[in-house]
Amino acid sequence: MTEFLRLNGVYWGITVMDLMKQLDRMNKNDILKFISDCQHECGGVSSSLKHDPHLLYTLSAIQILTIYNSLDTINIEKVVEYVSGLQQKDGSFMGDKWGEIDTRFSFCAVACLALLGRLDAIDVDKAVEFVIACMNFDGGFGCRPGSESHSGQIYCCLGVLSITNSLHFVNVDMLGWWLCERQLPSGGLNGRPEKLPDVCYSWWVLASLKIIGKIHWIDKKKLETYILACQDDETGGFADRPGDMVDPFHTLFGIAGLSLLGSYTEDIKLVNPVYCMPEYILKQNNICPQIL
């Protein structure tokens, strides 16, 4: 039932454990073998065994392998071929061979190749052009040109622009205002107007504000209070909202949000707002995305 999310789940778990200084409690050998088994002949990586490869899972695999300093676990040249082969003439990326276009996949492709030091394998200028074409009148970004602005898509588009040193295309004040308006009276953040707050937007919104240098435009204390209210006292995990079922997805983004807020610095490592990976990992690999 959860096989279509399995590799993403491993990434969420590995990353949050590293941020909490507990990575040694994970079974590295089993994880590396699982990733190796999920790589296909085309070079792409699937969510689990006997599933189709996709950019979403390929990025998770590369993030995990980068954290473990084990990129030699899979055939990296084939990964580069797979990712670059999904770019379209307009600069966009399909998520897989079935053809869906989405700015999420632009981020997955660009982040993946940047971690591998192989951005030369794609047309970066065209990739940036497509992302800019998805910018809206409110300063935000959608999944395709003309689509509604959404915090998750904004994060992905800013990620592409940050990695490619292209943040000068962004209307920072307008976008910053749209993002800070996502904070509700509870202190939590939502993904778009008229929606409920959700802990995961403590990442998508907050990371976006961090990238454009406007994180001080929200009430940090109220957001911290909301995130902590979503933690389950018995299991320790985080849910989308107080009282709901916890899961690894919201646990990672709750902890990552606290890291961006500068909370519990003795217990939580610094997270990078572009890659959602521990900052020290990126520094070890000399990866420095643009931050305003």
Side-chain angles (χ1 to χ4, degrees), residues 11-275:
Y11 156 70
W12 301 329
I14 289 296
T15 303
V16 73
M17 290 295 274
D18 197 357
L19 288 174
M20 297 188 298
K21 308 178 183 179
Q22 301 293 326
L23 185 59
D24 59 337
R25 298 173 67 171
M26 307 298 278
N27 193 319
K28 176 181 177 180
N29 292 334
D30 284 355
I31 291 168
L32 297 184
K33 183 180 185 306
F34 177 68
I35 292 174
S36 177
D37 290 344
C38 287
Q39 185 175 34
H40 291 244
E41 185 63 32
C42 65
V45 182
S46 57
S47 63
S48 190
L49 304 179
K50 300 181 180 180
H51 283 247
D52 290 340
H54 196 287
L55 275 178
L56 291 169
Y57 316 125
T58 302
L59 173 59
S60 287
I62 296 303
Q63 288 171 307
I64 296 165
L65 295 177
T66 301
I67 289 173
Y68 274 134
N69 192 27
S70 300
L71 287 171
D72 57 354
T73 299
I74 59 176
N75 187 328
I76 293 302
E77 282 306 312
K78 294 292 286 184
V79 171
V80 174
E81 287 180 24
Y82 175 74
V83 174
S84 61
L86 292 171
Q87 188 172 30
Q88 305 304 292
K89 289 183 179 180
D90 64 355
S92 65
F93 284 85
M94 298 189 299
D96 59 14
K97 66 180 182 180
W98 304 112
E100 183 185 5
I101 301 294
D102 192 307
T103 46
R104 290 178 301 156
F105 309 147
S106 295
F107 173 73
C108 288
V110 169
C112 186
L113 294 176
L115 288 171
L116 298 176
R118 290 301 311 275
L119 281 174
D120 61 294
I122 60 171
D123 188 330
V124 172
D125 290 339
K126 276 290 187 182
V128 170
E129 276 183 31
F130 177 75
V131 167
I132 296 305
C134 297
M135 186 187 298
N136 292 319
F137 70 92
D138 53 16
F141 295 83
C143 58
R144 287 177 293 277
S147 296
E148 178 186 10
S149 294
H150 187 281
S151 299
Q153 308 296 150
I154 289 170
Y155 165 80
C156 290
C157 291
L158 287 180
V160 171
L161 299 177
S162 169
I163 292 169
T164 59
N165 291 303
S166 303
L167 287 174
H168 54 279
F169 288 111
V170 179
N171 186 327
V172 172
D173 287 344
M174 187 179 293
L175 177 57
W177 180 251
W178 190 93
L179 288 167
C180 74
E181 282 191 318
R182 304 281 60 77
Q183 189 163 35
L184 301 173
S186 65
L189 302 166
N190 63 16
R192 53 196 169 110
E194 304 302 323
K195 294 296 181 178
L196 294 173
D198 187 319
V199 156
C200 71
Y201 294 112
S202 303
W203 175 255
W204 312 120
V205 174
L206 206 58
S208 297
L209 286 167
K210 180 70 174 179
I211 291 170
I212 63 173
K214 300 296 183 183
I215 197 169
H216 58 287
W217 280 15
I218 63 159
D219 189 324
K220 293 183 179 181
K221 191 61 183 175
K222 287 189 72 173
L223 177 56
E224 178 184 299
T225 299
Y226 178 81
I227 294 173
L228 294 177
C230 295
Q231 184 177 26
D232 181 70
D233 291 337
E234 294 183 6
T235 65
F238 288 76
D240 56 349
R241 285 178 280 278
D244 287 352
M245 183 65 70
V246 303
D247 59 69
F249 175 83
H250 290 95
T251 299
L252 166 60
F253 293 126
I255 293 295
L258 291 174
S259 176
L260 287 175
L261 289 171
S263 306
Y264 304 98
T265 54
E266 292 185 2
D267 302 309
I268 304 174
K269 295 178 184 177
L270 189 64
V271 69
N272 183 274
V274 176
Y275 291 92

